Amino acid sequence: MVITVPVLRDGRECASRDTRTLHDVHGDPLAEVHEAPALTTRLAVRAMHRAEPVAQDERTAQLAKAGELFASATLGGETPEEYCRAQALGSGVPVAVARRALERTGGDCALLGEVVARQSPSGTGGTARWARRGTVLGVVAPSNHPGTHGAWLQALAMGYRVAVRPGTRDPFTPLRLVRALLAAGLEPHGASLLPGSHTAADALVEAAGLSLVYGSEATVARLRGDARVLVRGPGRSKFLVDTPLDDAVLDHLVEEIASDGGVRCTNTTAVFTSGDPRELGAALAERLARLPAHPVTDGRAVLPVRPAAEAAGLRAARDRAAAGAADLTAGHYGADGPLAPVGGDGVALRPSVTVLDDTVHPALGTELPFPCVWVAPWRPADGIAPLDDSLALTLLTGREGLVAQALASPGVRTVLHGRVPQWWRDPYLPHDGHLGQFLMEARGYAAA
């Protein structure tokens, strides 16, 4: 059955004359997505600007209830498991990721009041108030992971109304979230789902006042410097092994590289070592090559799945970046090689491990949506420079000075000192700084 993804505005699900067919990873029609033209997007956002604000306590309670509904309710005729299946088939991310997202979102929504309270500066006191910079947040969302939508839920907790242009492969997660929010009592103009073209996305950014935009390096370059837009691009998360290599270190590395299919921006893509990079690379390749290839809706799936042509393009991108350097996992695969057929036109993208000769190889900045990791040498004299420009930097080192340099570097957004298991699930840990740093500001206040 082909799923209908509507435009959802003013609390109503609407059809559009503009539609597109979303095909699943096997090449079969999965959903008919109704798209909001640029004019409709502008009108929807205009109505959201005019809506009356809701009391903070009421909004916090609505979000907690919405989390419960998102996790367990049938919404728009869709059960939780039907959502998980659609999300997996559309995005190509293993179905277990969506199942975990149901549970995590349900729990995190109950904490949102405390999450945003911790983001306000402690020094405001009686002389300042923490206030919103705007009324509507536009979100140009990605499709790589359902967990990315937790950010705009924080914006709702801060009193914003939110209009979401979903990613092209995963309109299912934000649709289910908006349905849950409305069922929990959110006012009709509180949240909108506005699928649409790039032109409509630009219209959303223009109309919203403030926007959160996920995109490629080109998107980051185009919007850099616009104070109204918070851009989140490639993560280029890195890992330094400056300790003896053992099974515990290798197991932690595999988790950081390949968890959730390796599609998160916080998955490690570059590993530096003060030891022998070829020894480390070979050990990683042997472990990562054990990850099995299964259809994306199989509960055992741990690797992302893409249509064959798209998967081949991603592997070709890896080969170009490697500039002739060998993939150490290749010798572990059979006749299928790095692309394993899993039914229909779908193939699972098996991991890739490549050892590089220096800390400045261009491949170290290459991030691909599967477990693809680059291993390079590092010496203490290299300092923080090779480790910079990293959304998440894990430091297995006893060099406290290096940790201090990482914390002082604007290009390192999250520092993990030691093996911190599944740190990305901490709802209080800033992903890329606190969202409140962008959405809120301190305003002077004095009263007689």
Side-chain angles (χ1 to χ4, degrees):
M1 181 181 70
V2 175
I3 302 164
T4 298
V5 177
V7 173
L8 211 167
R9 54 173 295 209
D10 306 331
R12 297 178 292 109
E13 299 191 9
C14 309
S16 172
R17 290 179 296 179
D18 298 334
T19 63
R20 69 175 177 88
T21 299
L22 169 59
H23 292 84
D24 67 20
V25 294
H26 304 296
D28 299 322
L30 175 63
E32 181 182 53
V33 182
H34 291 254
E35 298 193 322
L39 177 59
T40 300
T41 296
R42 292 190 183 96
L43 292 174
V45 174
R46 186 180 302 170
M48 297 174 78
H49 277 296
R50 293 196 299 261
E52 292 296 321
V54 174
Q56 183 69 34
D57 290 348
E58 182 179 352
R59 177 58 53 82
T60 300
Q62 290 169 349
L63 286 164
K65 180 62 175 177
E68 296 175 8
L69 295 172
F70 180 81
S72 60
T74 295
L75 299 168
E78 174 193 73
T79 66
E81 187 55 30
E82 287 170 339
Y83 153 72
C84 291
R85 179 178 174 82
Q87 200 279 336
L89 284 170
S91 69
V93 180
V95 70
V97 175
R99 290 171 180 161
R100 287 193 293 270
L102 286 176
E103 179 182 357
R104 177 179 174 180
T105 301
D108 285 359
C109 281
L111 303 174
L112 281 170
E114 177 63 20
V115 168
V116 301
R118 292 191 184 190
Q119 297 182 32
S120 61
S122 59
T124 51
T127 58
R129 289 294 183 269
W130 194 228
R132 292 188 302 276
R133 294 178 59 213
T135 57
V136 178
L137 176 69
V139 180
V140 179
S143 297
N144 64 309
H145 195 286
T148 57
H149 296 282
W152 61 262
L153 292 175
Q154 289 187 30
L156 283 173
M158 294 177 199
Y160 277 82
R161 294 174 281 281
V162 179
V164 182
R165 186 265 197 177
T168 55
R169 296 194 313 273
D170 180 20
F172 309 107
T173 301
L175 173 60
R176 185 170 177 83
L177 279 169
V178 174
R179 282 171 167 168
L181 287 160
L182 292 171
L186 186 74
E187 72 276 16
H189 295 293
S192 297
L193 184 79
L194 303 170
S197 64
H198 290 297
T199 300
D202 290 342
L204 172 61
V205 171
E206 180 183 346
L210 296 176
S211 295
L212 172 61
V213 178
Y214 294 82
S216 64
E217 192 62 53
T219 301
V220 173
R222 180 169 63 88
L223 295 173
R224 184 181 287 116
D226 189 335
R228 299 169 57 250
V229 182
L230 177 62
V231 187
R232 287 183 169 165
R236 299 192 182 90
S237 295
K238 301 178 178 67
F239 200 113
L240 173 65
V241 180
D242 185 34
T243 58
L245 189 62
D246 57 25
D247 287 340
V249 170
L250 288 167
D251 290 344
H252 187 67
L253 265 171
V254 168
E255 175 77 2
E256 293 295 302
I257 294 164
S259 61
D260 291 354
V263 301
R264 297 192 326 265
C265 52
T266 52
N267 283 115
T268 295
T269 57
V271 178
F272 296 82
T273 178
S274 58
D276 182 351
R278 298 197 177 278
E279 177 189 1
L280 175 54
L284 274 179
E286 192 274 331
R287 280 169 166 74
L288 288 167
R290 298 175 193 166
L291 298 178
H294 292 293
V296 74
T297 53
D298 189 319
R300 299 169 296 172
V302 292
L303 297 176
V305 174
R306 292 284 190 274
E310 184 180 343
L314 290 170
R315 283 296 308 191
R318 177 264 160 210
D319 294 343
R320 289 193 299 271
D327 179 356
L328 298 188
T329 58
H332 298 279
Y333 300 140
D336 291 336
L339 302 178
V342 291
D345 192 41
V347 297
L349 286 139
R350 285 174 163 152
S352 170
V353 178
T354 307
V355 175
L356 305 172
D357 293 330
D358 57 58
T359 61
V360 295
H361 194 289
L364 290 165
T366 299
E367 181 173 289
L368 295 168
F370 66 98
C372 178
V373 65
W374 315 93
V375 181
W378 178 88
R379 297 291 177 266
D382 295 326
I384 196 66
L387 310 174
D388 206 353
D389 187 23
S390 181
L391 178 58
L393 172 61
T394 298
L395 297 170
L396 298 191
T397 183
R399 305 175 197 276
E400 296 293 338
L402 188 66
V403 177
Q405 289 179 52
L407 287 168
S409 174
V412 179
R413 307 300 295 158
T414 301
V415 177
L416 293 312
H417 188 197
R419 297 196 303 272
V420 184
Q422 299 186 349
W423 59 270
W424 56 87
R425 296 187 182 183
D426 185 344
Y428 301 108
L429 192 69
H431 172 78
D432 187 357
H434 282 307
L435 188 62
Q437 295 172 256
F438 172 69
L439 295 180
M440 310 292 282
E441 63 183 4
R443 296 179 184 171
Y445 174 77

